[in-house]
Each structure stands twice: as structure tokens, then as C-alpha cells.
Amino acid sequence: MTDLLRPAHSATRNDLRQGGPSRTGAVWHGLRPRHLAWPLFALAFAWYLWTYGLPYANDVVFCWLIAALVAASVHSGGRTGWLLVLRDWVPVMAVVWAYSLLRGYGAHTPWPVRYEPQLSIDTFLGGGETWTVRLQHWLYTPGSPHWYDYAAVMVYMSHFFTVFLVLAVLWKRQYPRFRRLLALYLAVTFAGFATYVLYPADPPWLTAQEGHLPAVTRIVSDVLNQSGLPRAGSVFENGSQFANDVAAMPSLHAAYPMLIALFFWAGAGRWTRVVLVAYPLAMAFTLVYGAEHFIVDILAGWAYAVVIWYVLTRVLDRRALRRAARDRERQRVPERVG
């Protein structure tokens, strides 16, 4: 991928036997200013972590991801690679920022915020008590997090970067699949936003604060606060009017893992499929246990992912077939003319 992964410049056998100045000189001779790209990125990211803490909002994570791709492109020595990064990723980042703004405005719609249907369904599924209340009663010890509480935090936080990392790998290795997954991701995201506007819904922790549910703890936030680790929020959402606490239906935390599982399922091996199944289930458990979402929110998120994947995949497949047919027709035209 980068020059650091390639074999070093060849040296004479005498240099290799003797070591010393000849070998050192060859190493230094191979260094270029572009080799500073990754060290400078690492220093900047370390400074950011030290100053602002862990980034967990989409827009901040996206900025660092673009910076990493630019560093990789510069380090590899290509003259235009970093321009391709900006061409493909800056528009996506703009869309994510727009979504962050619009999501915040979704908290100020004229519709009443709902909790009754979700609470009723979850109470039914729990046999008279929601699974959030039951799981926290069984498993959570306030002030003394267990290992699985830290695991839940890691699963929850993965929502903010997993899709972007997968997109980055596909962009580097399988560009057509990058474009397809990006289309699916944006479709699920904005379908979720439309629902937030039309159906603002309380999550379990907020329902409990309003007295409609027994007291529950927002475990991810509680564990992070106890850890003392600072966290860097979104430039839009961090303590501003753009925060949206009633964007619970559907759960995009649940939708994205399901979308990834559907996207990679066909070509995956047995153990990869185990991971593809385990990730959505682990996220679902974390969201219910952590009081972030009702079960019905998660089911809705899965349904959004399945429907959009099914419909949009077929639309994109048909477009690809028509494009291939046109390309074949163009190749036949010169033969007929001749």
C-alpha cells in the first residue's frame, strides 16, 4: 500500500555483510518528505486525543478518516491520490454534516413526542416488564462496572466509526462496492431522519426520567464518566440546540450492523458470517441493556436495513446490467460500420 511496505532499496552484498555506514546511508537515502505523512498524522491525532478526548460523533470521525486517507495517499508517493480522496470523500462528509444539522432540527417538530407504543410493545415482549429494566436489575452495579459493561461501551462506540472504516477499505480495494455501500448507508441514514421528523420518540432512559418507566441508567454514558476519559463531541451536537434526544425510532445503531451483515453475507466464509451475525446481536443487547433503545426501535432499524438493502440492491443491479449492455452495444457499432 505504501512505500514502507515495499522492499528497501537494494544494497551491495559487501554493504549487507559489513553493515555500518553503507547500510545506514542506504536507509537514509530512501527517506523522502512524503514519509512524514503518517508520523505527522499520528502526532496530530495524539494531540487531539490528549486535548479533546475520544471522538465519537460522525462528523469528527469523518474528518480524521479523510485525514488518514490523505496521509496514506501522500505517503504512497502518488501525485494525485490525495485529490481523489478529496473528490470522493469531501462530498460525503458534507452530506454527513448536513444530516447532523437536520437531525438536530428534528427535535423541534410540531408533532408530539411518543413513548407509549414502544413502551407497551416492550412491556409485552418482556412479560410485564421491559427487558431494559430486567437486564439492568440482573447485571448492572452502579458505581462498579463489570467487564461486560466495558464491552458494551466498546460495541456502542463502534457505531460511530465502523461503517466509515469499512467504506475506507472498500474505497481502497473495491471502488464499485464502496459506491454501492455508500448509497445504501446514505439511504438508510436519511430514511431514519425522515422518521425522526415524523415520529419523534423517547428512548428508555428519557422515558424513565419522565416517570413512565422505573429508574434505569444510561450505562454507556455512566461508564465513560466513571472512567474519566474525555470525549470530543460533534461540532454541531456538543451541547447545542442541534442535539436530538428523541431520535430513537428507528435505531440506526441497530440498522448499520444489519446493513453491513447483508452487504457482505453473500461472499463471506463461515467464520466471517459468525462475526456478521454476532455484531448486530451484540449491538442489540447493548442498546437494550444500556437503556438507549426499546426493542421495537431495534426491530425497526433492522427492518429499514433489510428493505432498503433489498430494494436498492436490485435497482443498482438493473442499472449495472443496462450500463454493461450499452457498453457491449458501443463495442459492436464499429464492427458493423466496418
Side-chain angles (χ1 to χ4, degrees):
M1 181 182 295
T2 65
D3 285 345
L4 285 182
L5 301 179
R6 298 172 184 167
H9 293 287
S10 59
T12 65
R13 293 186 177 180
N14 289 334
D15 289 338
L16 294 176
R17 289 194 191 100
Q18 297 173 4
S22 297
R23 188 173 182 180
T24 304
V27 172
W28 283 104
H29 179 72
L31 292 177
R32 296 289 186 272
R34 59 187 171 82
H35 292 152
L36 295 174
W38 274 121
L40 290 175
F41 171 83
L43 287 174
F45 190 58
W47 170 82
Y48 183 88
L49 292 177
W50 180 266
T51 305
Y52 298 104
L54 296 172
Y56 67 93
N58 287 352
D59 49 350
V60 178
V61 173
F62 221 101
C63 287
W64 284 109
L65 178 62
I66 292 177
L69 290 171
V70 169
S73 298
V74 171
H75 189 102
S76 65
R79 295 179 179 274
T80 60
W82 64 275
L83 291 175
L84 296 178
V85 173
L86 297 180
R87 181 200 68 183
D88 289 335
W89 287 92
V90 168
V92 180
M93 184 176 68
V95 172
V96 171
W97 271 346
Y99 165 73
S100 296
L101 284 170
L102 293 172
R103 181 178 180 272
Y105 283 119
H108 309 288
T109 60
W111 327 117
V113 178
R114 306 302 299 271
Y115 70 89
E116 304 96 331
Q118 304 91 278
L119 180 57
S120 298
I121 294 173
D122 269 41
T123 302
F124 172 77
L125 294 174
E129 183 179 47
T130 66
W131 276 104
T132 296
V133 173
R134 183 174 284 119
L135 288 173
Q136 291 201 8
H137 176 73
W138 287 347
L139 300 175
Y140 191 60
T141 305
S144 300
H146 302 283
W147 65 267
Y148 48 79
D149 296 316
Y150 292 105
V153 170
M154 293 176 62
V155 172
Y156 181 85
M157 298 298 287
S158 70
H159 162 81
F160 299 104
F161 58 82
T162 297
V163 174
F164 297 147
L165 290 179
V166 172
L167 284 169
V169 172
L170 291 177
W171 180 84
K172 190 72 174 177
R173 295 175 177 270
Q174 297 177 317
Y175 187 75
R177 298 197 79 193
F178 157 77
R179 292 175 61 87
R180 175 164 294 210
L181 181 58
L182 178 61
L184 291 166
Y185 163 76
L186 293 177
V188 170
T189 299
F190 281 93
F193 162 72
T195 310
Y196 299 155
V197 172
L198 299 174
Y199 190 87
D202 282 342
W205 65 268
L206 192 53
T207 303
Q209 283 187 8
E210 294 170 348
H212 307 299
L213 190 67
V216 294
T217 302
R218 199 174 186 184
I219 290 176
V220 171
S221 179
D222 196 45
V223 171
L224 286 175
N225 288 336
Q226 292 179 54
S227 71
L229 292 174
R231 290 171 289 162
S234 166
V235 295
F236 296 114
E237 298 174 8
N238 191 24
S240 76
Q241 70 270 28
F242 298 110
N244 189 349
D245 290 332
V246 295
M249 169 68 78
S251 169
L252 292 183
H253 270 79
Y256 294 157
M258 178 60 71
L259 181 63
I260 291 173
L262 294 168
F263 186 81
F264 289 103
W265 187 263
R270 181 177 63 179
W271 290 109
T272 303
R273 287 186 173 184
V274 170
V275 175
L276 293 177
V277 171
Y279 184 37
L281 294 178
M283 182 64 78
F285 174 85
T286 295
L287 296 174
V288 175
Y289 172 55
E292 297 292 339
H293 284 282
F294 289 105
I295 292 176
V296 68
D297 300 338
I298 295 167
L299 296 177
W302 287 352
Y304 274 52
V306 170
V307 171
I308 290 174
W309 170 81
Y310 181 85
V311 173
L312 190 54
T313 294
R314 276 147 185 78
V315 171
L316 295 175
D317 285 345
R318 292 193 186 109
R319 289 182 58 185
L321 289 173
R322 287 196 297 268
R323 191 181 304 112
R326 287 196 299 267
D327 291 341
R328 288 193 299 269
E329 186 65 24
R330 292 194 191 97
Q331 292 174 0
R332 293 194 190 101
V333 169
E335 298 177 0
R336 293 173 183 172
V337 173

